Amino acid sequence: MSGTPKIALSGVHKNFGSKQVLRGIDLAIGRGESVVVIGGSGTGKSVMLKCILGLLSPDSGSIRIDGEESVGLIGQDREQLLRKFGMLFQGAALFDSLPVWQNVAFGLIQGRRMAPEAAKEHALDKLASVGLGPEVGDLWPAELSGGMQKRVGLARAIATEPEIIFFDEPTTGLDPIMGDVINDLIVDSVRELGATTLSITHDIASARKIADRIAMIYEGRIIWQGTVEEIDRTDDPYVTQFINGRAEGPIKMQLRAL
Amino acid sequence: MNLLAEFGRALGEPLAGIGRTFLHFLTAIGRLVIFTVVAVSHCARPPFYYRMIIRQLIDIGYYSLPVVGLTTLFTGMVLALQSYTGFARFNAESAVSTVVVLSITRELAPVLAGLMVAGRIGASMAAEIGTMRVTEQIDALTTLSTSPMKYLVVPRLLAGLTMLPVLVLIGDLIGVFGGFLIGAYKLGFNPSTYIASTWEFLEPIDVISGLVKAAVFGFLVALMGCYHGYHSRGGAQGVGTATTNAVVSASIMILVFNYVITEMFAG
Ligand SMILES: Nc1ncnc2c1ncn2[C@@H]1O[C@H](COP(=O)(O)OP(=O)(O)OP(=O)(O)O)[C@@H](O)[C@H]1O
Ligand SMILES: [Mg+2]
């Protein structure tokens, strides 16, 4: 990593009422780097992405994009900044009042004022790259399976070819083969677009494939980070428990015995 | 001493409750005012989403016509019957047409159309925007460099503001026509005398005050629908609550503002 990081979080806190979700996140992502965040359900991974995008405002801490502080940006400045970003939401978040192709082309038509015909062509290209044929373009989001919605969401996130792309659980709900196609797509978009990506996943195989670096979040902090080789060699008990998927270990699920 | 503290606590609990409720109320008012100011300021700044505006104009204006037409038609008919029954008691039957036209234009067409549109449009706005909120579609809009205020809220506010006066003007005509139907064919008025006396005492201000009311009510209905939808949370139940709140608050505001505007025009 050289120069200013593309994204730098330091000491980011976020509470919802009395519930502390983020308790001081420190994470830096270099230009063109692909970072994968792993961690248990409900540990605040999606909240962290939303804080970076400004959809949620952190209670304290700093988030720098290209070296510029972004916490507190609103209105035009925020809109300008968000042009650099693409985001795949965990629940796809497709616009259900628009057909699929318009969903994919939305950022081009509304955000970049591209002519609808050109944007449609572009959208169908992107759909093809996530394994969906042109006939899907005219369907409505409600007519798609969960996995197809996810792929349309992915096509929408990369359609404007942004500098920074966030993938919130890109392979959850996909069959293993399609999951691997999506992994390749993420790797390609980093390579071809030179995009910086931050992905969230529970899928260790996917993380191994797409990550330059893996970070693990636990109790609102990044407790470990390292490369894919390092994660296999680490003896950090939290990380080993997580990647091996064991119920016994330092990470306790809050369950009651039956 | 102990007793006094006990007494203080006993007194304090309900008081604290009232205080909390009052604070909640003030916060809600503050949020609504901020939302309104932000939304209105977006109305004046490009980009404008013309397709969305047109879609809302059609949705509010055209598709509300049957509801508003039926409401005002029957209201005009009932008014004619009721005022005839009443006025016959002191031989003032000739005032029926005037009563119908003044009540319809000044009061009943705007208020009833406003309430019907609150049920039809306010509810659907809150449900649609609320669903978009809880399924993160509003967040997705933001990440695609599109302001949800401009894309979702502004078109609805503009459509509410402009289409309700149009609806009410049509409602005025239909309502007066309803009164005429009853007057001429049931109560035995001479049709041309009835029409003549309808015009005789009608002043432009009667119609205009009704249209001003309509514009305000249309804005309020759209504002309440958008506001409650925008701030809804927590899945299907949250959207349901937002929908109810949108309709109830819009209806109450219509009744309150109806008085305020009447007072303004009376003064
Ligand atoms: N808008 C919100 N209001 C209140 N609490 C929230 C909100 N968003 C998230 N939370 C809480 O923050 C915590 C973290 O949520 P988040 O969605 O970030 O989890 P996650 O790490 O992405 O989990 P998963 O892997 O299951 O997606 C959860 O306990 C959730 O209840
Ligand atoms: Mg999540």
Side-chain angles (χ1 to χ4, degrees), chain B:
Chain B
M1 207 57 226
N2 231 336
L3 208 70
L4 208 65
E6 199 72 7
F7 181 71
R9 246 199 309 282
L11 199 69
E13 256 325 297
L15 281 182
I18 294 172
R20 260 196 303 276
T21 315
F22 187 62
L23 282 181
H24 275 304
F25 179 70
L26 286 186
T27 328
I29 301 259
R31 272 206 316 186
L32 174 60
V33 169
I34 292 171
F35 183 86
T36 312
V37 170
V38 171
V40 169
S41 77
H42 276 284
C43 286
R45 278 180 288 146
F48 302 110
Y49 295 99
Y50 296 104
R51 293 169 61 95
M52 301 302 284
I53 296 177
I54 291 169
R55 190 194 285 181
Q56 292 302 322
L57 288 178
I58 294 174
D59 207 28
I60 298 184
Y62 186 70
Y63 290 110
S64 300
L65 259 181
V67 172
V68 171
L70 274 177
T71 311
T72 47
L73 178 72
F74 281 100
T75 307
M77 289 163 59
V78 165
L79 260 180
L81 267 184
Q82 290 282 30
S83 52
Y84 183 81
T85 323
F87 290 166
R89 292 180 193 157
F90 42 93
N91 302 322
E93 294 94 329
S94 60
V96 166
S97 62
T98 312
V99 167
V100 168
V101 72
L102 291 190
S103 323
I104 290 281
T105 55
R106 295 183 66 104
E107 194 63 40
L108 289 170
V111 170
L112 293 178
L115 293 175
M116 297 310 279
V117 169
R120 208 188 89 80
I121 299 294
S124 84
M125 284 180 182
E128 191 178 348
I129 296 182
T131 305
M132 292 187 72
R133 164 62 73 200
V134 302
T135 57
E136 300 184 321
Q137 292 179 52
I138 293 187
D139 288 343
L141 272 180
T142 311
T143 65
L144 292 163
S145 326
T146 304
S147 152
M149 278 285 173
K150 283 202 171 69
Y151 188 78
L152 296 173
V153 176
V154 167
R156 288 171 169 78
L157 291 182
L158 290 180
L161 186 72
T162 53
M163 285 330 275
L164 211 63
V166 176
L167 282 170
V168 164
L169 194 61
I170 298 172
D172 284 348
L173 293 171
I174 296 177
V176 170
F177 176 71
F180 168 78
L181 278 183
I182 295 298
Y185 296 103
K186 188 169 163 65
L187 305 176
F189 286 95
N190 178 315
S192 51
T193 341
Y194 186 96
I195 292 172
S197 62
T198 294
W199 286 112
E200 199 179 346
F201 296 103
L202 183 68
E203 312 237 348
I205 192 70
D206 299 324
V207 178
I208 291 170
S209 70
L211 297 185
V212 169
K213 283 181 179 179
V216 173
F217 298 166
F219 181 81
L220 287 174
V221 166
L223 182 71
M224 288 296 118
C226 293
Y227 171 79
H228 287 286
Y230 205 82
H231 290 286
S232 68
R233 56 183 68 235
Q237 196 187 0
V239 175
T241 314
T243 310
T244 312
N245 287 345
V247 176
V248 171
S249 58
S251 305
I252 292 174
M253 286 182 106
I254 284 176
L255 297 175
V256 172
F257 275 79
N258 182 43
Y259 178 78
V260 173
I261 300 171
T262 309
E263 175 87 40
M264 264 166 43
F265 275 95

Side-chain angles (χ1 to χ4, degrees), chain A residues 2-68:
Chain A
S2 62
T4 44
K6 194 78 181 162
I7 305 172
L9 288 80
S10 63
V12 174
H13 286 76
K14 179 70 189 173
N15 305 338
F16 291 105
S18 60
K19 179 172 185 146
Q20 297 184 312
V21 178
L22 303 183
R23 305 182 198 179
I25 296 268
D26 297 303
L27 182 66
I29 303 169
R31 200 170 301 272
E33 195 183 15
S34 173
V35 171
V36 170
V37 172
I38 57 174
S41 200
T43 46
K45 304 182 297 295
S46 300
V47 168
M48 179 180 76
L49 290 192
K50 287 182 188 171
C51 284
I52 302 175
L53 291 165
L55 299 172
L56 292 171
S57 49
D59 298 325
S60 64
S62 127
I63 299 173
R64 290 171 175 275
I65 313 290
D66 288 324
E68 306 266 346

